[in-house]
Amino acid sequence: MLNIKFLKKWPLFYIWIAIVTTISIFCAFLPLTNTTGFEFSFIIAIASSIGAGHLSSLYPARIRGQKAPFPGSENAPLKILWHSFRLNIFLVLIPLIVIFLNTLRVPPCDTLTGMKFFILLPVISLFFSTAAGVAAGLLFPNAILSSILFFLIYAGTLFFSIYKIYTTPGVFTYGHFIGYFPGAFYDTHITVNKSLVLFRVHSLVIIALIYTLIKLFLDTTTLTLSFNKKVFKLKYLTILSILGAIIYLFNFNSENLGFTTSHSKLQEILPKKVSNSRLNIYFDKSFTSDEIESYTEDLFFSLYTIEEALNIKSKEKYSIYVFKNSTQKKAATGAGVALTKPWLKEAYIQKSELPDFTGRHELAHLILGTIAKGPLKLAGNLNGYLPNPALIEGAATALGGSSSFMDLHHQAKAMKDLNLLPDINSISGLGFFKQFAPTAYTASGSFYLFILERFGPSAFKNIYKGESVKKATGFDLARLKTEWFKMLDNQIMSQNEMAAASYKFNRPSIIAQTCIHHKTEINIKSERLLSEGNCKESLKLLNENCGQGKCSINQKLKILDAYVKCGDTDNTISIANNILKSDKQTMITQYVLELVLDLKNLPDFKKSSDYLTLYKDSPDSSSRRRLYIKYYLSLKNDKDVPYIIEALKLGNNDKDTNPSLTAIHINSFYLNNKDDSLAAYLAARQFINFKDYKTGTDILSEAFINSLETEPQSIVTEACFMMGKAYYMQKKYKQAKIWFDKIKNDKTGLSGTKFLASDWSKRADWKQ
């Protein structure tokens, strides 16, 4: 039983109880931490481990001062540890009670996984801190020195964890006091993995070692560790040897066990290396020689583009690690998202469609790191020691560009008109992470691009170095925002673009969502089951996600796509009608209407007018192209048309369509309709996709002669892009530039499309 009378005279115990209780209640009212899960467990692990270690370091002194029960000489080490742990257990029990009571207010997510995290993080951390604290308390008779020693040990382990993040490619860290920190702010998928379980076994082995050492060296008369004791007993030496060997094996195999990573490990995972005067690029073994050549050229061009924009002439050399997908990258670095470590001059990205604007964004971080101050080479206050996320990400976004059909300023203008544009002051600190990531990145990117365009690279660089905007531009921040808004107001927006922006930006941030990791895990499992053909279990999981509070529109779309892929027409129509009744966003309704129209057994499937109506209202260029082609094909009486329309159908599984067979049908259709410019456009598209660039340009040239330019703008624009890219791949850069400039100079074109054409035109110039 716990001796309550001793606790009454220990106010520090109640102070720590009050601290963890306050933190728990605070967490209960934050969406990300209001149920059992990783974030709640991580926060409680930090608070309870500090409290437990502090109290435990003082416990031996309280025994000596007769303020706590004397353990006696028999099994004294075990009794001291046990009595101390019984006190400390309240530091995790109370938070657990608080969060379980909170389920009366907030439905739980995944209680089983939440409890796994709670045991592996705060509970085992409490054990570890108790053992470390007691050892510190027994080492020094003086209570103050014992406390100082514990806090030094705690700070030392944190420093070591930070040092590993600073010096290695990983963003994650494991620590015996805190458990596990994943590192990436935008990671929506955090699970209990094998590495975490094994690391906590490692922690338990160290606890056993601490207990054994206390057992060996404890002098029960003075209740201190005495190193004058004769401890050379075979039993204890054997136990110490076994525990030491296990700990050594854990540390020696830390990379293989996933506790840490290294550059040699990454280079083993990514064995294909390309090196030139400015870049070392490491590729996964799945990359072909052509892909490596294209990616290397793309990254080198991005380097040139950024340095030209900043008027920088540098000889710095950077390392780029290119993974085959986000899963491989997360396993290697701890982050599924792209990331950069400017202080190491390294970026970690994944395979993407070229041009890779994400890779360019990360390169921008590296280049900006050459002018930033501080150990992190990032913009911020106090000479870079206090990073400014809006400036860091805004500057990189401004230099990195966008692959959207709207450029940065048009996207910011749309957010402004939709009342979604965050104040630049509010996102300069931690408020950046309160926003949905694309919202924060785009808003800050447009603002700093405006500064770059209006005041030039010198002012832009000076701000990044730490100079005030007033000194760099001559305008205070309020005046700058006013001028920025004036510039945004001059951007012309269509209703379709506004609808697309609403769909893209009107979403909550990760920290504003409950059960985000659980929902992501369910979606990943359901996608895997769906790819395996297990429709029943996949849909069961997707519908379970909808049971976690209000079913989001994106979750409804996942269910809709699953019903389509499973061939369940009745449920497809049902969920489609539900979405159409409840959601007014044009992007969503257009997608759903097209998907429903694509179902073959609907009476009005063949009505071309339906596709034409959707085409006229479609908010983005890719869907406009697709809808118009469906409309065009539905008017044709040709044996190949049904297969082509089937291939264009939304919601298709990859296994449902054979690209080679689709190409054969399209080519057959073209041969039967040679004078038809749209048939030629479709055929050329296939030849270019299969890298027969010469045939593709020949057919497209013929299509333009046959009045392709009279077709819808979205199709003409893509045809021009196809011509430009095909000529570029044939190393005919002058011809390529002509076609890219044609798009760039089109006054009626979409801003993002013109930006992309301008980028390709510049690339063609660069290659000449």
Side-chain angles (χ1 to χ4, degrees), residues 477-495:
L477 189 58
R479 174 73 184 281
L480 272 179
K481 287 194 291 184
T482 300
E483 295 298 315
W484 177 41
F485 284 175
K486 285 181 182 177
M487 182 274 297
L488 293 181
D489 289 337
N490 288 330
Q491 310 300 316
I492 299 172
M493 304 289 298
S494 68
Q495 286 302 311

Side-chain angles (χ1 to χ4, degrees), residues 121-225:
L121 269 63
V123 172
I124 294 182
S125 290
L126 190 86
F127 272 113
F128 194 88
S129 279
T130 298
V134 166
L138 294 172
L139 196 59
F140 289 112
N142 186 285
I144 295 176
L145 289 177
S146 299
S147 296
I148 291 173
L149 177 61
F150 168 75
F151 283 116
L152 286 174
I153 293 170
Y154 199 100
T157 60
L158 284 181
F159 176 82
F160 181 67
S161 294
I162 294 169
Y163 176 77
K164 285 196 294 183
I165 293 175
Y166 188 80
T167 57
T168 70
V171 296
F172 66 95
T173 185
Y174 289 88
H176 297 293
F177 287 111
I178 63 171
Y180 167 65
F181 176 64
F185 287 108
Y186 297 114
D187 197 340
T188 61
H189 189 217
I190 300 175
T191 59
V192 175
N193 56 40
K194 181 178 68 175
S195 295
L196 176 56
V197 174
L198 288 172
F199 187 81
R200 293 324 252 165
V201 172
H202 185 198
S203 299
L204 292 173
V205 174
I206 294 175
I207 292 169
L209 179 66
I210 293 172
Y211 167 73
T212 304
L213 290 171
I214 293 173
K215 177 83 173 175
L216 284 172
F217 294 107
L218 180 65
D219 184 340
T220 54
T221 59
T222 60
L223 217 60
T224 57
L225 297 179

Side-chain angles (χ1 to χ4, degrees), residues 30-33 185 430 433-435 508-514:
L30 294 177
L32 191 63
T33 58
F185 287 108
L430 293 177
F433 303 104
K434 292 180 181 179
Q435 299 289 331
S509 70
I510 287 176
I511 64 173
Q513 298 182 59
T514 299

Side-chain angles (χ1 to χ4, degrees), residues 208-440:
L209 179 66
I210 293 172
Y211 167 73
T212 304
L213 290 171
I214 293 173
K215 177 83 173 175
L216 284 172
F217 294 107
L218 180 65
D219 184 340
T220 54
T221 59
T222 60
L223 217 60
T224 57
L225 297 179
S226 173
F227 298 103
N228 294 322
K229 287 183 66 178
K230 295 181 180 180
V231 296
F232 300 105
K233 294 182 180 179
L234 182 61
K235 180 177 75 171
Y236 292 129
L237 288 175
T238 302
I239 293 172
L240 284 175
S241 298
I242 292 172
L243 293 173
I246 294 172
I247 292 168
Y248 171 78
L249 287 173
F250 271 121
N251 290 326
F252 183 78
N253 293 288
S254 60
E255 284 186 23
N256 294 328
L257 295 173
F259 300 165
T260 186
T261 188
S262 67
H263 293 95
S264 59
K265 184 71 174 179
L266 258 63
Q267 290 163 23
E268 180 183 326
I269 296 169
L270 308 175
K272 294 186 175 181
K273 180 182 177 182
V274 173
S275 185
N276 55 41
S277 60
R278 300 294 309 281
L279 297 173
N280 288 321
I281 312 173
Y282 301 88
F283 293 94
D284 177 71
K285 61 184 179 181
S286 63
F287 279 76
T288 65
S289 57
D290 286 346
E291 287 175 328
I292 288 173
E293 183 181 354
S294 297
Y295 233 106
T296 301
E297 180 186 296
D298 184 70
L299 289 169
F300 209 72
F301 172 69
S302 290
L303 184 73
Y304 160 78
T305 300
I306 296 164
E307 291 187 338
E308 183 189 54
L310 292 174
N311 194 22
I312 287 177
K313 292 183 179 180
S314 174
K315 294 183 179 180
E316 293 284 355
K317 193 165 187 175
Y318 308 107
S319 293
I320 313 293
Y321 295 85
V322 188
F323 297 85
K324 64 180 177 182
N325 54 39
S326 61
T327 302
Q328 184 191 42
K329 184 153 69 64
K330 184 172 182 178
T333 67
V337 296
L339 63 102
T340 306
K341 291 191 173 183
W343 59 92
L344 294 179
K345 301 177 183 177
E346 294 177 353
Y348 317 92
I349 61 177
Q350 67 199 50
K351 188 177 183 179
S352 178
E353 184 180 346
L354 301 179
D356 183 1
F357 288 104
T358 299
R360 189 177 299 183
H361 178 100
E362 302 307 325
L363 265 175
H365 280 307
L366 292 179
I367 295 165
L368 288 166
T370 62
I371 61 175
K373 297 179 180 179
L376 298 177
K377 299 299 180 184
L378 294 169
N381 299 322
L382 304 176
N383 283 326
Y385 282 89
L386 188 62
N388 178 343
L391 178 51
I392 294 165
E393 297 300 346
T397 302
L399 294 166
S402 170
S403 58
S404 170
F405 65 92
M406 289 186 287
D407 65 20
L408 284 174
H409 292 326
H410 278 75
Q411 292 180 68
K413 157 72 170 174
M415 283 196 287
K416 181 176 179 290
D417 290 350
L418 292 165
N419 294 319
L420 297 174
L421 187 67
D423 182 76
I424 200 69
N425 277 334
S426 69
I427 59 175
S428 292
L430 293 177
F432 187 88
F433 303 104
K434 292 180 181 179
Q435 299 289 331
F436 179 51
T439 301

